Amino acid sequence: MIRLKNQTQLDGIRRSCRLLADVFSLLEPMVVPGVSTKELDEAAENAIREGGGEPAFLGYMEYPASICASINEVVIHGIPDATKLVEGDIISIDIGIKLDGYFSDRALTLPVGRIDDQKQKLMDITLECLELGISKAVAGNRVKDISKAVFEHACSAGYGIVRDFCGHGTGIELHEEPQIPNYIGRGPNPRLKPGMVIAIEPMINQGTFEVEILDDDWTVVTTDRKPSAHFEHTLAILEDRTEILTRSRT
Ligand code: MF3
Ligand code: CO
């Protein structure tokens, strides 16, 4: 069932998303060589709690941290630890918040100091995939219009598009229907309606689209160990426009 949100719910989700955007604004300047992913996790958890929220990922299916911190070949679900960021890395940070019962979800990939042109291009294309997907996320279109826009852009740049994980509805629960794949496959193709809140999240690899899960049962890596990037926003589909709820204000 796809849940359409009423005004009260949209306002609650908006507040959750605004707190999440603020948490990212705090975290972004911390991404420098020498900082550990655990330090980023602690800073995020503190900021979320100071804002009155809870980390939505902590304890979700027994996930052990507040953020996912995924370096280079780690696609998603990297568990924060003592690993320190190194100049030339790229790191994807994914965070979810529950505030007054309402969920928000966002991810972005950042450079650590100076990075090579290939990594920069991968990040640029992945962000463009998200932006193109968002441009199709309007009332009256269908889910596959988003999928197609993301897929075709990444494909024409020669990148691998992760298929094993998708975007999703969100807001009242962390993960709701519909699924928003980043490729065009079989499966349902619902129409986008006013009141829908969705998270679009392209995960794009420099090499193969294939991924595997490490022995910790969480960390998703590319099978060829080439780098991967991930950008995600939570959006509200409204009658006459689409609002990017997790966009930073600064
Ligand atoms: N961030 C993922 C998503 O966007 C969910 C993370 S699951 C967790 O859907 F277990 F790591 F929390
Ligand atoms: Co998500």
Side-chain angles (χ1 to χ4, degrees), residues 133 136-137 142-150 180 192 198 200:
K136 300 293 175 186
R142 289 181 183 273
V143 164
K144 283 182 191 175
D145 294 312
I146 301 171
S147 308
K148 188 166 180 282
V150 171
I180 319 276
L192 301 170
I198 58 171
I200 304 179

Side-chain angles (χ1 to χ4, degrees), residues 56-68 76-77 94-96 105-107 166-168 174-175 199 201 203 218 230 232:
F57 297 173
L58 184 63
Y60 178 82
M61 307 216 321
E62 297 180 45
Y63 185 74
S66 297
I67 72 170
C68 300
I76 48 168
H77 300 171
D94 190 350
I95 311 179
D105 192 1
R106 181 181 179 189
C166 293
H168 50 90
L174 177 59
H175 292 140
E201 49 179 319
M203 290 151 261
W218 279 107
H230 179 206
E232 175 178 26

Side-chain angles (χ1 to χ4, degrees), residues 2-225:
I2 298 177
R3 249 185 239 264
L4 300 182
K5 278 76 177 178
N6 63 31
Q7 216 34 259
T8 310
Q9 293 166 330
L10 283 173
D11 283 342
I13 297 164
R14 217 174 253 128
R15 272 185 279 116
S16 179
C17 288
R18 215 168 285 151
L19 175 58
L20 183 50
D22 291 345
V23 171
F24 270 99
S25 300
L26 177 101
L27 236 47
E28 280 176 48
M30 288 183 67
V31 172
V32 293
V35 76
S36 74
T37 51
K38 185 75 202 152
E39 287 171 306
L40 297 175
D41 185 69
E42 282 166 8
E45 176 167 5
N46 289 339
I48 292 167
R49 296 200 191 280
E50 272 165 31
E54 292 166 52
F57 297 173
L58 184 63
Y60 178 82
M61 307 216 321
E62 297 180 45
Y63 185 74
S66 297
I67 72 170
C68 300
S70 307
I71 300 171
N72 298 332
E73 75 279 6
V74 181
V75 180
I76 48 168
H77 300 171
I79 301 172
D81 61 13
T83 307
K84 288 183 160 70
L85 302 183
V86 174
E87 176 111 19
D89 283 346
I90 55 173
I91 179 176
S92 305
I93 300 176
D94 190 350
I95 311 179
I97 292 181
K98 185 179 185 185
L99 175 67
D100 300 332
Y102 298 108
F103 286 91
S104 51
D105 192 1
R106 181 181 179 189
L108 51 75
T109 303
L110 295 167
V112 181
R114 280 189 64 85
I115 59 169
D116 67 39
D117 292 348
Q118 278 184 306
K119 280 177 171 164
Q120 187 61 53
K121 175 96 191 294
L122 173 69
M123 288 175 47
D124 292 347
I125 295 283
T126 309
L127 181 56
E128 286 165 19
C129 283
L130 174 59
E131 286 164 353
L132 286 166
I134 290 172
S135 74
K136 300 293 175 186
V138 293
N141 273 1
R142 289 181 183 273
V143 164
K144 283 182 191 175
D145 294 312
I146 301 171
S147 308
K148 188 166 180 282
V150 171
F151 183 84
E152 283 178 353
H153 190 60
C155 214
S156 66
Y159 290 122
I161 297 104
V162 175
R163 292 161 172 261
D164 295 5
F165 301 89
C166 293
H168 50 90
T170 188
I172 309 290
E173 292 171 77
L174 177 59
H175 292 140
E176 300 180 21
E177 286 182 34
Q179 280 204 355
I180 319 276
N182 296 307
Y183 61 94
I184 318 143
R186 287 191 287 264
N189 187 17
R191 199 178 285 284
L192 301 170
K193 294 194 178 137
M196 283 175 64
V197 175
I198 58 171
I200 304 179
E201 49 179 319
M203 290 151 261
I204 307 295
N205 303 344
Q206 196 181 85
T208 179
F209 71 91
E210 285 181 294
V211 300
E212 61 184 300
I213 299 176
L214 297 185
D215 285 340
D216 61 15
D217 286 341
W218 279 107
T219 311
V220 177
V221 297
T222 55
T223 58
D224 60 9
R225 302 299 190 267

